[in-house]
Amino acid sequence: MDNYELVAAALSKITNTQVITYNEYLTQKDRNPDQTFQYFDSNLLHDIYLVKGVVSSDVIDVEEEVENSTRNLENVFISFSGETLEIKNLNANTTISQLKNKIFETKGIVPNDQWLTIQNVLIKNLSGKTLTVKNLNSKTSINQLKNKIYETEGIPPDEQYLNYGLKSLQDHQTLSYYEITNDTTINLSTRLRGGSNTIQVLDRDFLDPRYDYDFTNIKPSGTYTRGNYKYVRPYGWNRMAMRVLNKYSDNSWLGVNNRTNISESVEGEWIVSFHGTGKNNVNSIAKDGYLLSKGLRFKYGRGVYSTPDIDWAARYADIFVYKGENYQVVFQNRVKPDTFDVVSFDSGLKFFISPNDKEIRPYGLCFRKI
């Protein structure tokens, strides 16, 4: 079995576009000189297809977060009734509440009666094209912004990935929550979409076969920990390693240094988790996680769902066909300790909910025949 061909077949299913191996590209490029090829963006894949959802938000006051968080402002122009008021000498510690107080001091409009408008937001896509979205306000949600982009560009909201200031913009939050002010530029990426004439080429360095491990025929035995947390190895699955060594500032998160016992953790190591890749199943895992977390107190309103149980993650995984046989694929991740919430079933099954998608990193793809 060619691992790259299997991975390409899986990614074709996950992204709903054609993904081929580099060797296939070498064969096709001369036969099809008019065909467009581009390298597969593995970073974008992880960012877009992480299984995200809402945590029970009945204990979260979003408006309070908006009013009391800091904004990066200098001078702001306030327009009302045909008049423009300039508020000067603001700084990085100025809050929206303080800005409203300055308006009150100048114009006598009480803060609770003020509705601050963000007139224009600039949307820049990967090709460098910039779109101006007008007539927004500070309470415009990211989902509403996506709908405006859809009206102009025809990109469905669930295929848009918005990023600003190294943050992924979540649908339920507002522009002011992310410190987005007038003429702010937001970066737009899109899901890899079916129907495109572009063929995605899987880089030869996407995988790292040195760290592959086939658990298909291995029976469960012993107790293992990773990041000082119980690690249930993916028995019954074939784990193919992604090339992530030296991708980040250090490799301690992988636990590759100073391991003297294969079953024990090492210092600085992150915890192992799994998540399914089926984008059509995102609503299911989000709903399951929401119902499970309802009534519990969480300091985050949205997060990336994963689980230490690969068989549970498989419930949300894609099924694809490779050489006439059906397979499933699940991401294997490392999650930074002490950065996620845990919700549990009575059976002991757990969800991890990571509020920051930079603190969950994929490092393997697990496959099994079904």
Side-chain angles (χ1 to χ4, degrees), residues 24-37:
E24 290 175 307
Y25 161 69
L26 294 177
T27 301
Q28 292 189 29
K29 69 183 183 70
D30 292 329
R31 295 179 182 174
N32 304 298
D34 296 329
Q35 177 64 56
T36 301
F37 298 92

Side-chain angles (χ1 to χ4, degrees), residues 237-336:
W237 298 74
N238 183 9
R239 197 276 309 285
M240 298 178 190
M242 299 168 62
R243 190 175 296 277
V244 293
L245 203 63
N246 300 318
K247 181 177 180 179
Y248 301 94
S249 58
D250 64 72
N251 296 315
S252 60
W253 65 282
L254 283 169
V256 295
N257 300 321
N258 304 319
R259 194 185 303 281
T260 58
N261 187 322
I262 192 173
S263 65
E264 296 179 356
S265 301
V266 296
E267 184 177 358
E269 185 175 25
W270 291 17
I271 297 165
V272 174
S273 73
F274 303 91
H275 77 262
T277 55
K279 60 179 179 293
N280 293 327
N281 294 324
V282 170
N283 288 334
S284 297
I285 193 170
K287 180 180 178 182
D288 288 348
Y290 175 81
L291 293 176
L292 188 59
S293 67
K294 208 171 181 184
L296 302 179
R297 288 197 68 87
F298 289 98
K299 56 185 176 181
Y300 306 108
R302 193 171 178 85
V304 179
Y305 285 75
S306 64
T307 173
D309 185 331
I310 190 171
D311 291 326
W312 183 260
R315 296 188 181 200
Y316 309 99
D318 274 310
I319 298 173
F320 66 98
V321 178
Y322 174 67
K323 294 187 175 180
E325 296 186 282
N326 291 332
Y327 287 82
Q328 273 187 307
V329 58
V330 168
F331 274 116
Q332 186 175 27
N333 315 290
R334 292 296 186 120
V335 183
K336 189 174 182 179

Side-chain angles (χ1 to χ4, degrees), residues 3-4 6-8 10-11 14 40 42 45-46 202 206-207 211-215 234 237-243 274-277 310 320 328-333 362-368:
N3 286 357
Y4 269 91
L6 179 64
V7 171
L11 295 178
I14 293 169
F40 182 81
S42 59
L45 170 78
H46 179 61
L202 196 60
F206 182 79
L207 299 177
Y211 299 101
D212 289 353
Y213 202 102
D214 191 351
F215 293 92
W237 298 74
N238 183 9
R239 197 276 309 285
M240 298 178 190
M242 299 168 62
R243 190 175 296 277
F274 303 91
H275 77 262
T277 55
I310 190 171
F320 66 98
Q328 273 187 307
V329 58
V330 168
F331 274 116
Q332 186 175 27
N333 315 290
Y363 72 111
L365 289 164
C366 298
F367 296 86
R368 71 174 176 185

